[in-house]
């Protein structure tokens, strides 16, 4: 089959680095690909509020509590921009939430691990937001306009999140031995899941082919993972944290670090619903979604009344 004129003009726009906007023609598979990725990204932001929310009432100072509250609120906001961006592709918020609850839509592996100590809040900000930024900076140039624009704002906020996490880790590393141990323990538990956030190796990434053709992805899973490692290792060394990877070493020829193999069996378990906290995360989301039904109903009734009185 030869491509139609509209398909050709779509690909030409992509090739010329022009954004695709909601009313432009787009192939059906491009639309579905974006709905999958953007909605999963949105779900990740919202489910990602849970591990940190666990520590709001136990933050060690009022300052730390205020910062954590603001950060978690930002993550909720990111979810909202992203749900809105996905809605421009013709899917409703209700459908997306239904796909999350039924397990059809994934969310990031990382949020299925427990946050056991205050150092985990440092590790989440530093490593998880740090990994998210590396991925999202490249998505600022993704081909779909609403997604690219959402990323610009999100990246600004994530960089503040990354710094607050690093500050917590740096402070703990200057503390008593028990605090340093706590920080190292958090590092040991979050490092590998953070590397998994970038997705499978390029050779095992089924969506990458179309994602590159359509410039949804600008950098590959492995390229971004490498960038994150190269950026983070010196930060860890600076504050005295060890990277829990015996195979990690500087490779002069590639001007980057070589690293040990990721446990892909664990990754597969976690993203198929069998991680340490998957069931808890989903039960929490379902419970509060149901309890919040009256707010959505009141909002809908109010907006109907406004429309009728116009
Ligand atoms: N977790 O073919 P690929 C954040 C799935 S935001 C779970 O390589 P693709 C902020 C993938 O969906 C973090 N599943 O897929 C924050 C696919 O399954 P499917 C979220 C994963 O899309 C901080 C299958 O594996 N960021 O943290 C993961 O080309 C702190 C095959 O994979 C984004 O979502 C994973 N890590 O590349 C919030 C960024 N990786 O859909 C609160 C946008 C892969 O066929 C607190 N997304 N899978 O069932 C992306 O850039 C891409 O979607 C990738 C995956 C790179 C994640």
């Amino acid at each position: 089959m030869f491509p139609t004129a509209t398909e050709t003009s779509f690909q030409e726009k992509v090739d010329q680095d022009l954004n695709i906007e909601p009313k432009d023609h787009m192939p059906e598979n491009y639309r579905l690909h974006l709905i999958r990725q953007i909605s999963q990204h949105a779900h990740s932001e919202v489910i990602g509020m849970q591990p940190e929310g666990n520590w709001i009432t136990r933050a060690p100072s009022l300052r730390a509590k205020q910062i954590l509250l603001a950060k978690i609120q930002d993550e909720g906001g990111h979810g909202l921009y992203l749900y809105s961006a996905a809605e421009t592709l013709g899917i409703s918020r209700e459908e997306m939430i239904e796909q999350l609850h039924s397990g059809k839509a994934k969310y990031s592996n990382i949020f299925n691990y427990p946050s056991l100590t205050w150092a985990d809040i440092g590790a989440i900000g530093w490593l998880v937001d740090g990994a998210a930024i590396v991925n999202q900076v490249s998505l600022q140039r993704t081909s779909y306009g609403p997604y690219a624009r959402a990323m610009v704002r999100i990246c600004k906020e994530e960089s503040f999140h990354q710094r607050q996490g690093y500050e917590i880790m740096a402070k703990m590393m200057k503390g008593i031995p028990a605090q340093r141990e706590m920080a190292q323990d958090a590092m040991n538990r979050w490092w590998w899941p953070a590397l998994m956030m970038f997705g499978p190796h390029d050779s095992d990434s089924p969506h990458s082919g179309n994602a590159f053709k359509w410039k949804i992805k600008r950098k590959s899973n492995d390229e971004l993972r490498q960038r994150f490692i190269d950026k983070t290792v010196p930060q860890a060394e600076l504050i005295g944290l060890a990277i829990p990877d015996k195979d990690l070493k500087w490779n002069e020829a590639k001007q980057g670090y070589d690293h040990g193999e990721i446990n892909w069996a664990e990754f597969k378990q976690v993203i198929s619903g069998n991680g340490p906290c998957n069931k808890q995360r989903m039960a929490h989301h379902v419970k509060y979604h149901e309890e919040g039904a009256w707010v959505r109903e009141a909002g809908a009734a109010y907006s109907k009344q406004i429309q009728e009185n116009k």
Side-chain angles (χ1 to χ4, degrees):
M1 279 257 293
F2 294 105
T4 62
T6 43
E7 274 163 5
T8 307
S9 79
F10 163 83
Q11 192 61 48
E12 273 170 8
K13 260 194 201 159
V14 170
D15 294 343
Q16 289 166 27
D17 286 337
L18 296 172
N19 278 347
I20 303 299
E21 296 298 338
K23 289 186 176 157
D24 292 349
H25 166 79
M26 61 184 85
E28 183 60 3
N29 284 343
Y30 175 82
R31 192 179 74 82
L32 296 175
H33 189 121
L34 281 169
I35 289 178
R36 178 192 63 83
Q37 177 166 327
I38 302 174
S39 68
Q40 294 189 164
H41 195 164
H43 298 324
S44 304
E45 300 280 357
V46 171
I47 298 289
M49 296 165 82
Q50 292 188 35
E52 290 175 298
N54 194 28
W55 280 89
I56 294 172
T57 54
R58 289 174 285 164
S61 67
L62 189 56
R63 176 180 180 271
K65 188 180 187 135
Q66 279 178 317
I67 294 174
L68 183 60
L69 265 171
K71 185 217 188 269
I72 297 173
Q73 192 174 318
D74 283 352
E75 307 298 0
H78 298 172
L80 297 184
Y81 315 149
L82 288 164
Y83 283 129
S84 300
E87 280 175 312
T88 64
L89 292 156
I91 183 167
S92 68
R93 184 87 58 96
E94 291 71 25
E95 281 172 272
M96 289 186 266
I97 301 294
E98 160 54 29
Q99 291 178 357
L100 172 68
H101 289 173
S102 70
K104 186 177 172 222
K106 294 189 168 73
Y107 57 88
S108 183
N109 68 299
I110 196 80
F111 302 118
N112 293 304
Y113 293 87
S115 50
L116 304 177
T117 69
W118 177 249
D120 288 21
I121 299 306
I124 293 175
W126 173 40
L127 299 175
V128 176
D129 284 275
I133 294 173
V134 169
N135 169 278
Q136 291 170 166
V137 161
S138 97
L139 285 174
Q140 291 180 127
R141 292 179 54 244
T142 193
S143 56
Y144 189 54
Y147 194 23
R149 289 189 286 275
M151 283 301 117
V152 173
R153 180 159 174 185
I154 290 178
C155 281
K156 288 195 179 125
E157 294 177 352
E158 298 288 28
S159 86
F160 151 69
H161 299 166
Q162 194 264 354
R163 281 175 223 181
Q164 69 86 34
Y166 191 59
E167 183 194 51
I168 292 174
M169 293 305 251
K171 234 183 202 166
M172 292 192 83
M173 289 306 286
K174 283 192 186 146
I176 59 171
Q179 287 171 309
R180 291 202 292 275
E181 266 166 44
M182 203 182 265
Q184 184 62 56
D185 171 61
M187 174 78 185
N188 296 349
R189 285 181 290 106
W190 290 92
W191 175 253
W192 290 102
L195 298 191
M196 293 174 198
M197 285 175 72
F198 296 94
H201 283 312
D202 299 346
S203 51
D204 297 324
S205 163
H207 297 299
S208 281
N210 279 340
F212 277 112
K213 179 171 123 196
W214 294 326
K215 296 193 180 168
I216 291 173
K217 264 186 186 169
R218 295 297 195 140
K219 298 270 178 228
S220 79
N221 297 2
D222 286 326
E223 277 177 279
L224 293 174
R225 188 173 9 250
Q226 184 70 50
R227 187 172 287 190
F228 170 71
I229 294 170
D230 294 344
K231 182 174 118 148
T232 311
V233 171
Q235 294 172 359
E237 283 171 354
L238 189 68
I239 58 173
L241 280 167
I243 304 283
D245 178 356
K246 64 177 172 33
D247 296 321
L248 187 90
K249 65 169 189 302
W250 178 253
N251 180 330
E252 192 59 35
K254 79 170 182 190
Q255 287 291 298
Y257 286 90
D258 289 333
H259 63 88
E261 195 44 273
I262 292 166
N263 184 345
W264 294 112
E266 174 182 321
F267 174 74
K268 282 190 189 129
Q269 278 292 315
V270 172
I271 69 168
S272 54
N274 302 312
C277 298
N278 297 58
K279 291 185 180 57
Q280 178 188 332
R281 300 284 183 247
M282 208 39 62
H284 186 91
H285 196 279
V286 169
K287 177 174 187 281
Y288 287 99
H289 185 69
E290 283 169 2
E291 284 183 11
W294 69 271
V295 179
R296 294 189 295 280
E297 282 158 22
Y302 178 71
S303 112
K304 189 167 166 233
Q305 206 176 45
I306 299 277
Q307 290 301 321
E308 282 168 2
N309 292 340
K310 258 188 187 167

